[in-house]
Structure formats: C-alpha cells, structure tokens
Amino acid sequence: MVGETNLTTLLQSMSPKLMTDEYVFCCVTDNHMDYQALSPLATFRETEGLTLVITKAQAEANNIPFESVFSGITLTVHSSLDAVGLTAAVASKLAEYEISANVIAAYYHDHIFVQKEKAELAIKALQEFSI
C-alpha cells in the first residue's frame, strides 16, 4: 500500500489521534544499560548520545533525567515519506497556537509530540484542516 503524497488530501484526512501515555525525550550516554529493555517508542543516535522517547513513568522508574513532558499525536493518514509540506503545514498550524511541534515521521504515519498541557488544543487546531 503506497502512502499518500497529495498535501491537500493529507491535511483533510489526517484524523489526529491522541496517544494515551505521557512521553519524555532524554539523552543517554551510558553504554552499559540495556535501553531496549525500556521499550522506547523511538531512538535516534546523535554525537552527544542516544536520544530516547520513552514514557515519563519509565524515565522516572529508571532515574533518567528529562526536561519536559509531552503528549503524542498520531496523524492516522498513511503518509508517504516522499510527501512534501505536511510537516511544515502541521508545525505552522500549531505555531499559530504557540504549541511546539516535535515531529517523528515513521513508515506509515507522522507523530507529533506537543507540550502535555496543550495536547487538547493541538488536536482542535489540527482538526481545523478538515473543516
């Protein structure tokens, strides 16, 4: 199944869905801990260390420091990785409401992480595309 590339179709049919957990972004450099045991939602290796996207509860239980707490929103439309403009449109819409947009593009869907306290407002803002 090929993902959608038409920006208008993507925006009108994204059907944003709020994830249930609270998430944090943290960076770890200790090579001795098995971070896969934390079952991270996402990882990304940078020069400074390994970024983990894990639940707030996992971070607290494992004494992993973090700065902010986020809610995740999945854009349920199957977007192509070749689609142009979706991230920009979503980030711009959220910026209108002073909401940060931390985007992770996966194979089938895009996932936006927003400040926890602004999650419901973010959903409403994104739903404006389908009106």
Side-chain angles (χ1 to χ4, degrees):
M1 181 178 196
V2 177
E4 182 62 53
T5 59
N6 181 281
L7 182 58
T8 301
T9 302
L10 286 167
L11 292 173
Q12 291 176 346
S13 61
M14 70 170 72
S15 298
K17 182 179 179 189
L18 193 60
M19 296 178 192
T20 57
D21 286 320
E22 297 177 329
Y23 291 95
V24 299
F25 287 66
C26 46
C27 184
V28 294
T29 57
D30 180 6
N31 292 326
H32 297 99
M33 184 174 178
D34 178 14
Y35 295 108
Q36 287 303 100
L38 297 173
S39 190
L41 185 62
T43 62
F44 196 92
R45 182 158 310 279
E46 298 179 283
T47 304
E48 298 84 357
L50 180 65
T51 295
L52 302 173
V53 180
I54 57 178
T55 65
K56 177 184 172 190
Q58 290 169 316
E60 290 174 338
N62 289 278
N63 296 314
I64 300 173
F66 58 89
E67 294 177 18
S68 302
V69 180
F70 298 91
S71 290
I73 298 171
T74 297
L75 307 182
T76 62
V77 63
H78 179 188
S79 56
S80 170
L81 289 168
D82 293 323
V84 175
L86 180 60
T87 300
V90 166
S92 293
K93 175 58 76 178
L94 294 176
E96 290 175 19
Y97 292 89
E98 298 187 12
I99 301 171
S100 68
N102 299 286
V103 181
I104 297 176
Y107 187 81
Y108 288 101
H109 307 289
D110 290 86
H111 308 274
I112 319 300
F113 292 85
V114 302
Q115 300 103 314
K116 177 187 156 200
E117 65 276 6
K118 296 184 178 181
E120 292 298 329
L121 179 59
I123 290 286
K124 289 177 185 172
L126 293 174
Q127 288 173 336
E128 289 178 9
F129 285 120
S130 61
I131 294 174

